[in-house]
């Protein structure tokens, strides 16, 4: 039996790109919602427990959708973008470009898709540009020296100086260039709506409206 992989099988596991800050924010918001809604359910009177449950049903999916859920998965064959309400699967052969301006986006088949999990920080980009130009950081300037690690010279590789979003875009572009001609990287873009997020949020919103209107 041959041990070789099929030519259209990814050569390595998915690379996953998330926003750590968004994930931390989401966890904190969920904890706050659990405390507020749980208190309404346990201690509230009248319709308060039901309002608390409806609010949780409405808000929890939205918090998850915009903070914890967004992620980008990339391998040798394709890019899978998990945004708040949609999942976009893009074979590299169908991708026209990946770029980061004021937001990170991928263009394919005449459409544009934003990468929610790869936010562009203009402050991060300015800091990286200052480092590329050899300018000391503000703290380094105040102390009268450049902020380089012990044992390192004043110059660093260009990769270190790139903003996080730009580094991610560079990696995705490299994957696209390498994988666009692979047999497994051909096909059309597929967009799937995330009803597991949309449905409970809509139901929770409707119940909440009814309870508030009749309360």
């Amino acid at each position: 039996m041959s041990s070789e992989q099929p030519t259209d099988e990814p050569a390595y596991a998915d690379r996953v790109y998330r926003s750590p800050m968004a994930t931390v924010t989401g966890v904190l918001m969920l904890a706050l919602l659990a405390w507020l809604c749980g208190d309404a359910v346990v201690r509230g009177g009248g319709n308060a427990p039901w309002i608390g449950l409806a609010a949780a049903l409405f808000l929890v999916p939205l918090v998850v959708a915009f903070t914890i859920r967004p992620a980008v998965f990339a391998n040798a064959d394709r890019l899978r973008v998990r945004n708040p309400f949609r999942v976009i699967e893009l074979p590299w052969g169908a991708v026209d470009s990946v770029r980061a301006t004021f937001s990170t986006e991928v263009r394919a088949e005449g459409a544009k898709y934003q990468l929610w999990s790869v936010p562009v920080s203009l402050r991060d980009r300015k800091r990286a540009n200052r480092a590329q130009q050899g300018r000391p950081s503000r703290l380094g300037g105040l102390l009268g020296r450049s902020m380089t690690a012990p044992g390192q010279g004043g110059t660093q590789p260009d990769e270190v100086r790139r903003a996080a979003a730009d580094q991610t875009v560079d990696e995705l572009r490299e994957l696209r260039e390498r994988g666009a001609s692979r047999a497994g990287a051909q096909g059309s873009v597929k967009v799937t709506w995330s009803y597991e997020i949309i449905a409970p949020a809509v139901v929770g919103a409707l119940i909440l409206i009814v309870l508030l209107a009749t309360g």
Side-chain angles (χ1 to χ4, degrees):
M1 179 181 292
S2 175
S3 60
E4 295 182 355
Q5 285 185 322
T7 56
D8 60 344
E9 183 175 328
Y12 47 80
D14 286 357
R15 299 185 189 183
V16 183
Y17 301 92
R18 297 178 184 271
S19 170
M21 182 61 68
T23 301
V24 171
T25 301
V27 171
L28 294 176
M29 291 181 67
L30 289 176
L32 180 61
L33 278 175
W35 175 56
L36 294 175
C37 295
D39 185 69
V41 171
V42 173
R43 301 184 181 182
N47 283 341
W50 296 107
I51 292 175
L53 289 173
L57 186 61
F58 169 55
L59 293 173
V60 167
L62 295 182
V63 171
V64 171
F66 286 99
T67 59
I68 299 173
R69 174 181 169 81
V72 170
F73 305 87
N75 60 31
D77 287 337
R78 64 195 63 242
L79 180 70
R80 187 162 64 94
V81 180
R82 194 170 69 191
N83 281 342
F85 302 116
R86 297 191 300 177
V87 176
I88 305 103
E89 189 170 324
L90 306 106
W92 287 123
V95 173
D96 299 320
S97 65
V98 184
R99 65 180 187 177
T101 51
F102 295 105
S103 64
T104 308
E105 60 189 34
V106 56
R107 291 181 177 269
E109 298 180 346
K112 179 176 68 175
Y113 306 98
Q114 186 174 351
L115 309 185
W116 279 75
S117 68
V118 188
V120 173
S121 169
L122 297 182
R123 178 179 298 179
D124 189 20
R125 185 173 284 169
K126 289 179 180 178
R127 186 163 51 242
N129 289 339
R130 284 198 299 268
Q132 284 182 337
Q133 295 168 6
R135 299 177 185 174
S137 68
R138 182 175 298 180
L139 179 59
L142 292 174
L143 297 178
R145 62 179 183 274
S146 61
M147 300 298 291
T148 55
Q152 294 182 347
T155 59
Q156 299 177 14
D158 287 343
E159 304 83 65
V160 177
R161 299 169 183 167
R162 298 280 284 168
D166 295 328
Q167 290 183 34
T168 298
V169 167
D170 288 344
E171 292 178 15
L172 295 178
R173 284 174 176 168
E174 183 180 352
L175 286 173
R176 172 184 171 271
E177 291 173 2
R178 292 206 310 251
S181 60
R182 288 170 57 90
Q186 309 309 310
S188 300
V189 176
K190 296 179 182 178
V191 179
T192 305
W193 288 96
S194 303
Y195 293 107
E196 70 276 12
I197 295 290
I198 298 171
V202 171
V203 171
L206 293 175
I207 295 175
L208 192 58
I209 290 171
V210 171
L211 289 172
L212 294 176
T214 58

